[in-house]
Amino acid sequence: MSAHTPSRDVQRLTLDEVRTLASDALRAHGVEFDVAALLADRIVLAERDGPASHGLFMLPSLLSGLRCGWIGARARPRMTVAGPAALHVDGDNGFAQPGLERARPELARMAAAQGIAVLTQRNAHHVGALRCDVEPFAEAGLVAMMFVATRRRVVPHGGRHPMLGTNPMAFAAPVRGRPPFVWDMATSAVAVSDVRLMAESGRAVPPGTGVDRHGAPTTDARSILDGGALLAFGGHKGTAVSLMVEIMAAALSGGRFAVEDRAAEVPGAASANGGQTVIVIDPARAGDAGLAGRVADWLALYPDTGAERLPGDGRLARRDAALRDGVDVPTALLRQLREAGRAP
């Protein structure tokens, strides 16, 4: 929950307390210190910037995946240089972030040398908000895109049965004088973690979010999760984008398509072992070293349209509030995670 979410059944934590809580729970489930610290940092970023559904709320599912053996707690990602502008990582059935983090400096160097570089990763579970994976590149003056293949949860436009993942994608670009322009979104109408959050709080999802187990439209979050499925955003257009993401993430990396994912067959498994692709571009080599300034001047025209804020501005407002005030965490979740941190 964000710092602005009113509720009496919450406790206020500092971001450092969130980090310790997450790290302790992961370490208690066999995750090595450096990986637990990295994942805890990503959880902190989600609690700080939103959405809360990608922060501590996601942690019980990750711990469940570790307990049942679906995610390897002590995985060792292996990075291969596949060409002057290409890297490939085998995640060894662990979390995706260690492989992505290990490859980031070399990927940035390749982009600076060649103008563009690509990283593919397979056999790794991507969890959390994608913007954490692309924003550092933009902070270094680069442009980055990311594509992730996930579990089978989405019905294509005009269909009745799920075939696609929620298949998120992200984009980041530098902007002179302000934080990077960043967006991160699922190609489903709503991210599945947000549907879970709405189900737990008893809230209805917006019309057009998903269908029940019989393929009938529903606004009941629990019906979507209990044998139902999500819909792609934007009808046939969103379906086309989702197909593109799955090709970029699963086919290009050699990872699993959503229809090949086996998480549903493993009790306790929640994450997808699909594939991830990151593309990084150096504006200076692509033709315009002044991109950050040009983007800043261009975005300055945005308020003239009557729009109140740019995509991503809400994230920056939440960041300021969280840094100042901390974040509210549901008491029941806090109790659960503290107990998890004491697990043998």
Side-chain angles (χ1 to χ4, degrees), residues 141 173-178 283 288-300:
V175 184
R176 182 193 60 211
R178 60 164 284 161
D288 195 343
L291 177 140
R294 293 193 67 213
V295 171
D297 293 341
W298 175 60
L299 291 180

Side-chain angles (χ1 to χ4, degrees), residues 91-119:
D92 194 30
N93 195 40
F95 293 104
Q97 280 74 14
L100 296 170
E101 191 70 15
R102 178 183 174 189
R104 181 157 57 89
E106 181 64 9
L107 189 62
R109 187 200 67 77
M110 285 180 164
Q114 305 296 329
I116 187 169
V118 60
L119 163 70

Side-chain angles (χ1 to χ4, degrees), residues 23 41 70 73 97 101 108 123 137 142 185 201 204 235 270 291 325:
S23 180
D41 283 342
W70 176 245
Q97 280 74 14
E101 191 70 15
N123 196 21
F137 291 108
L142 305 169
M185 68 176 210
S201 62
L291 177 140
D325 302 327

Side-chain angles (χ1 to χ4, degrees), residues 150-244:
T150 61
R151 290 179 62 178
R152 181 170 55 176
R153 297 186 185 277
V154 176
V155 177
H157 179 68
R160 296 181 57 194
H161 306 291
M163 172 187 171
L164 301 169
T166 56
N167 295 352
M169 57 183 179
F171 175 83
V175 184
R176 182 193 60 211
R178 60 164 284 161
F181 174 74
V182 182
W183 57 257
D184 165 8
M185 68 176 210
T187 53
S188 55
V190 176
V192 68
S193 54
D194 288 325
V195 176
R196 289 197 190 105
L197 196 58
M198 286 184 272
E200 289 205 359
S201 62
R203 288 178 289 153
V205 300
T209 295
V211 297
D212 63 19
R213 62 173 57 248
H214 305 294
T218 182
T219 59
D220 182 354
R222 294 188 183 278
S223 294
I224 294 173
L225 297 174
D226 184 19
L230 294 164
L231 296 171
F233 81 92
H236 67 282
K237 294 182 179 180
T239 294
V241 174
S242 185
L243 287 162
M244 180 270 291

